[in-house]
Amino acid sequence: MPTTLPPCTGLGLPREAYVSEKVFDAELKRFFYTTWLYAGHESQVREPGQFIRFALGDADVIIIRGRDGVLRGLHNTCRHRGAQLLGDSSGTCRRAIVCSYHAWSYDFDGKLKGAPKMGSDFDPTVHRLRQAEVEVWNGVVFVHVGGGNPAPVAEQLAGVQFANTDIARSKIAKVVDFELTTNWKASWENALECYHCAVNHPELGRIFDVDADGEDGQGFPGGPEYIFIENTLRPGSVSVTPSGQIESKRPYKCDPEAGIERGFLQWHRSAFEMIASPDHVALMTYKPLSPSKSIVTQTFLVPEEAQPGAEFDPDELFDMHIVTRQQDNALCEQIYAGLRNIAYSPGPFNGSLEQENFRFLSTYRSVMGDIIAD
Ligand code: FES
Ligand code: FE
């Protein structure tokens, strides 16, 4: 039986959207493979041969710096018999990308440079690695693995400008992965509202105005696919840290004239979230593994010159985010246990506190509605 989504009436998605393999497969092809997805930070790939890998569903891309300085995406499948070329999530290739099956070797730009014993009539030039698009935005690396023709990240996020936080001149200080028994949408939808915060995030509530509805007088200048606003911190709090204060001796440039940083971004189309504080930046991604499994990753950036230990404590600086995430993880698994209940049916959103959920589902339905109704 086809799964048919109701029109965008203000209700959440039906049960099938969270449990169906068919919906999951369609999401990979039509939602994730056709957009820009967070892959890492440029500080990880500054030197020729340095690479990071992006893997999601059946997409697997090596993002590697060429000898010419260009950052490229190369699909991680050998042009001989298809073996996966690199298995590590990041690293440095010394001379070439070498397939360990029959030792075909590729230059960092994807050109085939060696194919042992293939004979004199073999033409290596027609067997270069297939490319995926890569775009660096404020130092953040995004990859587009396949279908569709998404507008550049810089165009889609043209309204997102950070006044105080030089995200490009940062480095990764910590990465935390959480594999959850939940559908990725349950995690993303949970991130979009703070209706649940007063009840579930006591630590966050000390520094954050958990009752703010996101309408801080600036509206939603970015249009329907992202929200970009100030962090709604309580008076006296300036950073999303355990104390609410700047806890690093090496913060980003703080320009008092620039006022409070507008540093809270949620990009629906890419399930990507960014929270900029004066002394660190938290990046969050929400990736599907199956209908019932997903992975939430928190990546923390600090200014590139900040010294761990001497100038900030990596075990404490990001703790407000991690503690809050752990509370959210338990909620996301609880939500999923209820969403998969055969008696579940979607209820109405809170028109003020859950308006971003409504926006996300509008985006989701615009991409998925016709496919799911096939
Ligand atoms: Fe890579 Fe044969 S599959 S060299
Ligand atoms: Fe939460």
Side-chain angles (χ1 to χ4, degrees):
M1 289 286 289
T3 306
T4 305
L5 294 180
C8 205
T9 59
L11 294 176
L13 294 168
R15 178 179 180 276
E16 287 70 19
Y18 298 97
V19 301
S20 154
E21 290 282 353
K22 178 183 169 186
V23 172
F24 174 76
D25 289 344
E27 280 177 348
L28 285 177
K29 292 190 186 89
R30 301 302 183 99
F31 199 87
F32 286 96
Y33 296 167
T34 61
T35 191
W36 294 101
L37 298 166
Y38 169 81
H41 189 266
E42 199 174 22
S43 58
Q44 298 171 283
V45 282
R46 293 227 192 270
E47 301 301 321
Q50 277 191 314
F51 72 88
I52 50 178
R53 255 181 72 219
F54 174 85
L56 176 69
D58 291 325
D60 188 345
V61 176
I62 301 162
I63 298 163
I64 187 166
R65 181 77 61 187
R67 295 177 209 282
D68 55 1
V70 175
L71 192 64
R72 294 181 177 83
L74 304 171
H75 287 284
N76 194 9
T77 173
C78 183
R79 295 305 308 279
H80 177 216
R81 297 258 302 282
Q84 185 189 56
L85 295 163
L86 299 178
D88 291 342
S89 59
S90 63
T92 303
C93 293
R94 296 282 160 225
R95 292 190 190 79
I97 303 167
V98 181
C99 180
S100 60
Y101 197 2
H102 311 94
W104 284 27
S105 60
Y106 302 88
D107 209 339
F108 303 152
D109 63 2
K111 282 195 200 85
L112 180 64
K113 52 188 245 178
K117 305 173 191 169
M118 287 299 289
S120 56
D121 61 344
F122 177 74
D123 179 5
T125 62
V126 299
H127 299 291
R128 63 176 302 144
L129 294 177
R130 297 198 188 287
Q131 293 209 29
E133 285 183 281
V134 169
E135 183 173 339
V136 179
W137 174 84
N138 278 318
V140 182
V141 180
F142 288 93
V143 62
H144 167 222
V145 302
N149 187 24
V153 178
E155 190 176 305
Q156 292 194 49
L157 299 182
V160 180
Q161 307 280 343
F162 296 91
N164 293 330
T165 314
D166 193 349
I167 295 162
R169 290 196 62 247
S170 297
K171 63 183 176 187
I172 293 177
K174 188 167 188 153
V175 179
V176 191
D177 288 319
F178 299 99
E179 188 175 324
L180 304 178
T181 301
T182 193
N183 184 274
W184 72 274
K185 296 187 293 300
S187 295
W188 180 242
E189 291 172 284
N190 175 69
L192 297 178
E193 49 93 356
C194 219
Y195 190 10
H196 67 273
C197 293
V199 183
N200 293 282
H201 297 313
E203 295 84 359
L204 187 66
R206 289 202 292 267
I207 67 157
F208 205 81
D209 182 0
V210 294
D211 292 321
D213 63 6
E215 289 187 301
D216 59 355
Q218 298 180 68
F220 299 105
E225 294 208 333
Y226 69 77
I227 177 175
F228 181 56
I229 57 173
E230 289 176 4
N231 292 324
T232 50
L233 294 168
R234 290 193 184 282
S237 293
V238 294
S239 185
V240 185
T241 59
S243 65
Q245 304 306 308
I246 295 173
E247 294 191 7
S248 169
K249 295 191 182 96
R250 184 74 68 162
Y252 291 97
K253 179 190 73 154
C254 290
D255 178 2
E257 299 300 310
I260 299 171
E261 176 78 300
R262 199 203 284 182
F264 182 80
L265 169 68
Q266 290 179 317
W267 187 10
H268 296 309
R269 190 62 189 83
S270 296
F272 173 74
E273 183 176 28
M274 176 182 258
I275 302 173
S277 285
D279 51 1
H280 69 280
V281 178
L283 311 177
M284 266 79 69
T285 57
Y286 301 77
K287 285 162 57 172
L289 297 175
S290 73
S292 62
K293 295 279 182 192
S294 60
I295 187 158
V296 177
T297 301
Q298 292 182 308
T299 302
F300 299 103
L301 306 177
V302 294
E304 63 182 1
E305 59 279 358
Q307 295 302 315
E311 294 180 321
F312 72 96
D313 184 342
D315 290 328
E316 291 192 5
L317 184 59
F318 317 118
D319 231 39
M320 181 60 79
H321 293 283
I322 293 172
V323 166
T324 304
R325 183 67 250 161
Q326 288 167 332
Q327 293 160 343
D328 280 321
N329 290 344
L331 291 174
C332 292
E333 295 196 329
Q334 178 192 347
I335 295 160
Y336 194 64
L339 284 173
R340 67 190 308 166
N341 188 313
I342 55 171
Y344 161 75
S345 63
F349 290 119
N350 180 311
S352 171
L353 297 172
E354 294 176 307
Q355 53 188 296
E356 279 309 303
N357 296 69
F358 186 83
R359 286 170 178 270
F360 165 61
L361 293 186
S362 298
T363 295
Y364 182 83
R365 284 186 168 97
S366 73
V367 177
M368 292 291 297
D370 61 320
I371 299 155
I372 294 169
D374 279 346

